[in-house]
Amino acid sequence: MDGVQETSDNLIDAAAQVFAERGYAEATTRSIAERAGVNEVTLFRRFGSKSDLMLAAFDRVAERFAPITAAPSEDVRSDLMRLATTYQTCVAENAVFLMTMLLEMRRRPELANGHDIQSRLIERASRLIRSHQDAGRLCAAPPPVLAAKLLAPFLLLALAEHIPAVHRIVIDIDEHVDRFLLGHGPDSANSS
């Protein structure tokens, strides 16, 4: 990895941490630059603004799904297991940052491009589901609905862990995917 890419990666990592710890309004570019071990000028040269840096951090989280959804196999269960496992890990590792991002996208026009990143992530999961529908391995429900049914529980539980007095609940991915396939396989009467 070259020095420029390493510096950008360090800034993105630092930004995600600082945004998660302090929220968007309280996160300063100075504190992000200090956490990354660079000066503020470097941050602005690489990303232009605090909002662009937050969007870059959100984009990096979303990009974790590109390889998983790029080439579906003929094994629907295996593909859904990889998708669910990656999603569960990703949201567990980034829950507070994701919660901050999702809240701030609604409030701040400068973060409106976050909706495009979110849509791209949903579209990737939907494309994987659609390929299995086209092959007759999943029922004919709208792919984004099926993607949400498969993945939303992981996000909700990861966010709930950060609420005081909520006990940790872990989803058994094997069981979750098997139940999903039971309800949404090709012979399923439940198509919504």
Side-chain angles (χ1 to χ4, degrees), residues 96 99 157-168:
V96 178
M99 184 169 29
L157 291 177
L159 296 176
E161 281 191 30
H162 298 280
I163 299 170
V166 173
H167 300 290
R168 181 177 163 93

mmCIF file of all heavy atoms in Angstrom, residues 96 99 157-168:
data_model
loop_
_atom_site.group_PDB
_atom_site.id
_atom_site.type_symbol
_atom_site.label_atom_id
_atom_site.label_comp_id
_atom_site.label_asym_id
_atom_site.label_seq_id
_atom_site.Cartn_x
_atom_site.Cartn_y
_atom_site.Cartn_z
ATOM 1 N N VAL A 96 -22.355 1.896 16.054
ATOM 2 C CA VAL A 96 -22.543 3.278 16.495
ATOM 3 C C VAL A 96 -22.284 4.248 15.347
ATOM 4 O O VAL A 96 -23.029 5.218 15.168
ATOM 5 C CB VAL A 96 -21.664 3.595 17.725
ATOM 6 C CG1 VAL A 96 -21.823 5.047 18.144
ATOM 7 C CG2 VAL A 96 -22.024 2.670 18.887
ATOM 8 N N MET A 99 -25.319 4.061 13.084
ATOM 9 C CA MET A 99 -26.458 4.750 13.685
ATOM 10 C C MET A 99 -26.291 6.265 13.514
ATOM 11 O O MET A 99 -27.235 6.966 13.138
ATOM 12 C CB MET A 99 -26.573 4.380 15.167
ATOM 13 C CG MET A 99 -27.778 4.971 15.851
ATOM 14 S SD MET A 99 -28.130 4.311 17.513
ATOM 15 C CE MET A 99 -26.572 3.820 18.166
ATOM 16 N N LEU A 157 -30.337 -5.642 15.998
ATOM 17 C CA LEU A 157 -29.720 -6.173 17.211
ATOM 18 C C LEU A 157 -28.371 -5.518 17.500
ATOM 19 O O LEU A 157 -28.029 -5.294 18.659
ATOM 20 C CB LEU A 157 -29.583 -7.690 17.125
ATOM 21 C CG LEU A 157 -30.916 -8.449 17.186
ATOM 22 C CD1 LEU A 157 -30.693 -9.938 17.014
ATOM 23 C CD2 LEU A 157 -31.651 -8.164 18.484
ATOM 24 N N ALA A 158 -27.608 -5.197 16.468
ATOM 25 C CA ALA A 158 -26.325 -4.512 16.685
ATOM 26 C C ALA A 158 -26.554 -3.130 17.285
ATOM 27 O O ALA A 158 -25.832 -2.706 18.192
ATOM 28 C CB ALA A 158 -25.553 -4.406 15.377
ATOM 29 N N LEU A 159 -27.584 -2.430 16.814
ATOM 30 C CA LEU A 159 -27.898 -1.108 17.370
ATOM 31 C C LEU A 159 -28.440 -1.227 18.788
ATOM 32 O O LEU A 159 -28.102 -0.431 19.661
ATOM 33 C CB LEU A 159 -28.901 -0.379 16.474
ATOM 34 C CG LEU A 159 -28.422 -0.047 15.058
ATOM 35 C CD1 LEU A 159 -29.554 0.586 14.256
ATOM 36 C CD2 LEU A 159 -27.195 0.847 15.083
ATOM 37 N N ALA A 160 -29.250 -2.235 19.036
ATOM 38 C CA ALA A 160 -29.849 -2.421 20.366
ATOM 39 C C ALA A 160 -28.801 -2.683 21.435
ATOM 40 O O ALA A 160 -29.002 -2.334 22.596
ATOM 41 C CB ALA A 160 -30.866 -3.561 20.320
ATOM 42 N N GLU A 161 -27.690 -3.281 21.055
ATOM 43 C CA GLU A 161 -26.632 -3.554 22.033
ATOM 44 C C GLU A 161 -26.086 -2.284 22.662
ATOM 45 O O GLU A 161 -25.484 -2.320 23.721
ATOM 46 C CB GLU A 161 -25.478 -4.313 21.375
ATOM 47 C CG GLU A 161 -25.766 -5.768 21.203
ATOM 48 C CD GLU A 161 -24.527 -6.540 20.793
ATOM 49 O OE1 GLU A 161 -23.409 -6.138 21.167
ATOM 50 O OE2 GLU A 161 -24.699 -7.547 20.105
ATOM 51 N N HIS A 162 -26.298 -1.152 22.021
ATOM 52 C CA HIS A 162 -25.778 0.112 22.521
ATOM 53 C C HIS A 162 -26.824 0.891 23.316
ATOM 54 O O HIS A 162 -26.607 2.051 23.645
ATOM 55 C CB HIS A 162 -25.212 0.927 21.362
ATOM 56 C CG HIS A 162 -24.068 0.218 20.707
ATOM 57 N ND1 HIS A 162 -22.794 0.233 21.227
ATOM 58 C CD2 HIS A 162 -24.020 -0.597 19.631
ATOM 59 C CE1 HIS A 162 -22.008 -0.510 20.483
ATOM 60 N NE2 HIS A 162 -22.725 -1.022 19.503
ATOM 61 N N ILE A 163 -27.920 0.252 23.614
ATOM 62 C CA ILE A 163 -28.959 0.841 24.458
ATOM 63 C C ILE A 163 -28.822 0.225 25.845
ATOM 64 O O ILE A 163 -28.810 -0.998 25.972
ATOM 65 C CB ILE A 163 -30.370 0.561 23.883
ATOM 66 C CG1 ILE A 163 -30.498 1.170 22.486
ATOM 67 C CG2 ILE A 163 -31.446 1.079 24.821
ATOM 68 C CD1 ILE A 163 -31.749 0.749 21.747
ATOM 69 N N PRO A 164 -28.693 1.067 26.872
ATOM 70 C CA PRO A 164 -28.550 0.511 28.221
ATOM 71 C C PRO A 164 -29.719 -0.423 28.565
ATOM 72 O O PRO A 164 -30.849 -0.206 28.150
ATOM 73 C CB PRO A 164 -28.569 1.749 29.120
ATOM 74 C CG PRO A 164 -28.161 2.867 28.217
ATOM 75 C CD PRO A 164 -28.653 2.515 26.852
ATOM 76 N N ALA A 165 -29.408 -1.456 29.297
ATOM 77 C CA ALA A 165 -30.380 -2.436 29.812
ATOM 78 C C ALA A 165 -30.889 -3.409 28.754
ATOM 79 O O ALA A 165 -31.785 -4.190 29.027
ATOM 80 C CB ALA A 165 -31.550 -1.752 30.503
ATOM 81 N N VAL A 166 -30.349 -3.366 27.543
ATOM 82 C CA VAL A 166 -30.710 -4.358 26.539
ATOM 83 C C VAL A 166 -29.643 -5.444 26.575
ATOM 84 O O VAL A 166 -28.455 -5.168 26.455
ATOM 85 C CB VAL A 166 -30.812 -3.741 25.122
ATOM 86 C CG1 VAL A 166 -31.018 -4.816 24.081
ATOM 87 C CG2 VAL A 166 -31.931 -2.716 25.065
ATOM 88 N N HIS A 167 -30.071 -6.655 26.776
ATOM 89 C CA HIS A 167 -29.132 -7.764 26.837
ATOM 90 C C HIS A 167 -28.720 -8.181 25.437
ATOM 91 O O HIS A 167 -29.506 -8.115 24.495
ATOM 92 C CB HIS A 167 -29.762 -8.955 27.575
ATOM 93 C CG HIS A 167 -30.145 -8.616 28.976
ATOM 94 N ND1 HIS A 167 -29.222 -8.392 29.955
ATOM 95 C CD2 HIS A 167 -31.355 -8.425 29.550
ATOM 96 C CE1 HIS A 167 -29.840 -8.095 31.082
ATOM 97 N NE2 HIS A 167 -31.130 -8.103 30.855
ATOM 98 N N ARG A 168 -27.509 -8.632 25.333
ATOM 99 C CA ARG A 168 -26.970 -9.057 24.033
ATOM 100 C C ARG A 168 -27.745 -10.270 23.519
ATOM 101 O O ARG A 168 -27.901 -11.260 24.211
ATOM 102 C CB ARG A 168 -25.498 -9.397 24.181
ATOM 103 C CG ARG A 168 -24.867 -9.810 22.882
ATOM 104 C CD ARG A 168 -23.378 -10.068 23.081
ATOM 105 N NE ARG A 168 -22.863 -10.823 21.969
ATOM 106 C CZ ARG A 168 -22.311 -10.290 20.897
ATOM 107 N NH1 ARG A 168 -22.214 -9.004 20.800
ATOM 108 N NH2 ARG A 168 -21.858 -11.051 19.915
#
